[in-house]
Amino acid sequence: MTAIEWHRTVLFLLPPDALERHLCGPVLDMLEENGFSPVRYDVLWHRPPNQDAFQERNITSVWKAYFYRQVDLVFDLGPTLALLVEDRRADAAPGTSHTRLRALKGASDPAEAAPGTIRRDLRGINVMLDIVHSSDSPEDSRHEAEVFFGPGLGRPLDGGPAELRDLVALLEAGIPRETREYDDVLTGLRAKLVAAVWNELTPEGRKLAPGLTGLTRPGVGAELAALLPGGTAHPLAELLSCEFLPDHPKIDLRRAAARMAVYGLTLDRWENVVLQTSMIFPPLRRD
């Protein structure tokens, strides 16, 4: 195997949320437009066995253990595409590859990422569902490559870019394209809850219930819960009134799902991971 020049080779991940949203192609386009070419790859079909080693710095100095467990929710969504990408710009200054790629992906919080970055232009959901990961330094790339690839460091991309595009097409073909952002998920949840209790509302309550366009307005969930018979004592009141934002009261979604089941309702995997992570990490909202 040709020796890897870590000063210009970066560990780059397309996590399950990127595959769920069929964003791998656009991300690869942005990489290539900025002079980065994938040279090695692998598909991780399950949670990486050495994931705790990868997240060690966050676990010990940034996140609480409960926050870290949100990573498991993301990896439970499906496969991850791991890449080594090489900076092939002839005019790139030595030692700048990781910095350039970090700038291209944008801030971890998509709401703080600048226009023209991957996370802003392709609209990451929140810090946990932020479409891509790349290592911050040559040392991090070497360490994280061993975590995600193992000692073999993945498969060489002998077939060139077309080989990787074919693989991405196969991976995404087996996954219905997910288009819902945070506001869409919140609207959908509140819509099906209101529909489920429609016959329990008084005629006046049905008149006061907002249409779809108003279901993400701050405070509307609490207003809807107040219309329910029994008010806050209603089985769905807590779920209906929850804003699913860090600075608001949180809810146990597992218990909420049990209450929903009585009404024949469910939370799908995407709804669950978006709502669960957005209670901890602020989501990117629509203007």
Side-chain angles (χ1 to χ4, degrees), residues 75-220:
F75 279 103
D76 284 346
L77 282 173
T80 293
L81 182 58
L83 305 172
L84 288 181
V85 298
E86 188 176 86
D87 188 352
R88 293 184 172 173
R89 277 185 53 173
D91 60 346
T96 63
S97 300
H98 287 76
T99 303
R100 288 205 310 111
L101 190 46
R102 185 166 62 247
L104 175 61
K105 70 182 177 181
S108 297
D109 184 346
E112 297 179 1
T117 62
I118 292 171
R119 287 168 172 160
R120 189 51 181 256
D121 286 8
L122 300 183
R123 297 189 61 82
I125 302 296
N126 55 37
V127 167
M128 198 60 64
L129 299 166
D130 58 357
I131 305 175
V132 296
H133 165 78
S134 72
S135 300
D136 290 335
S137 70
E139 295 74 23
D140 285 347
S141 279
R142 184 193 298 270
H143 167 64
E144 293 176 11
E146 292 177 355
V147 169
F148 284 94
F149 289 119
L153 297 183
R155 305 171 184 274
L157 200 59
D158 296 327
E163 177 183 337
L164 185 58
R165 298 286 182 152
D166 287 345
L167 174 60
V168 165
L170 290 170
L171 289 168
E172 293 184 342
I175 306 171
R177 183 186 178 199
E178 183 55 70
T179 62
R180 291 173 294 175
E181 299 180 17
Y182 165 85
D183 288 299
D184 303 309
V185 169
L186 183 59
T187 294
L189 172 63
R190 287 177 173 169
K192 60 186 172 185
L193 291 175
V194 172
V197 300
W198 191 254
N199 290 337
E200 299 180 37
L201 299 177
T202 64
E204 291 76 15
R206 288 194 288 270
K207 290 179 182 177
L208 290 172
L212 284 177
T213 57
L215 289 178
T216 57
R217 177 171 53 82
V220 73

Side-chain angles (χ1 to χ4, degrees), residues 13-136:
L13 299 181
L14 287 159
D17 54 298
L19 285 161
E20 285 276 332
R21 300 176 67 192
H22 290 202
L23 293 177
C24 294
V27 170
L28 292 175
D29 289 342
M30 294 180 76
L31 287 175
E32 292 172 4
E33 289 165 5
N34 285 271
F36 291 96
S37 296
V39 292
R40 300 187 71 83
Y41 73 97
D42 208 347
V43 179
L44 307 177
W45 292 97
H46 305 286
R47 180 185 185 274
N50 295 324
Q51 181 179 308
D52 287 354
F54 166 59
Q55 296 288 358
E56 181 179 4
R57 183 169 54 192
N58 283 329
I59 296 170
T60 57
S61 61
V62 181
W63 296 340
K64 298 177 181 178
Y66 177 71
F67 287 11
Y68 170 57
R69 293 275 67 90
Q70 305 305 301
V71 177
D72 290 339
L73 288 176
V74 177
F75 279 103
D76 284 346
L77 282 173
T80 293
L81 182 58
L83 305 172
L84 288 181
V85 298
E86 188 176 86
D87 188 352
R88 293 184 172 173
R89 277 185 53 173
D91 60 346
T96 63
S97 300
H98 287 76
T99 303
R100 288 205 310 111
L101 190 46
R102 185 166 62 247
L104 175 61
K105 70 182 177 181
S108 297
D109 184 346
E112 297 179 1
T117 62
I118 292 171
R119 287 168 172 160
R120 189 51 181 256
D121 286 8
L122 300 183
R123 297 189 61 82
I125 302 296
N126 55 37
V127 167
M128 198 60 64
L129 299 166
D130 58 357
I131 305 175
V132 296
H133 165 78
S134 72
S135 300
D136 290 335

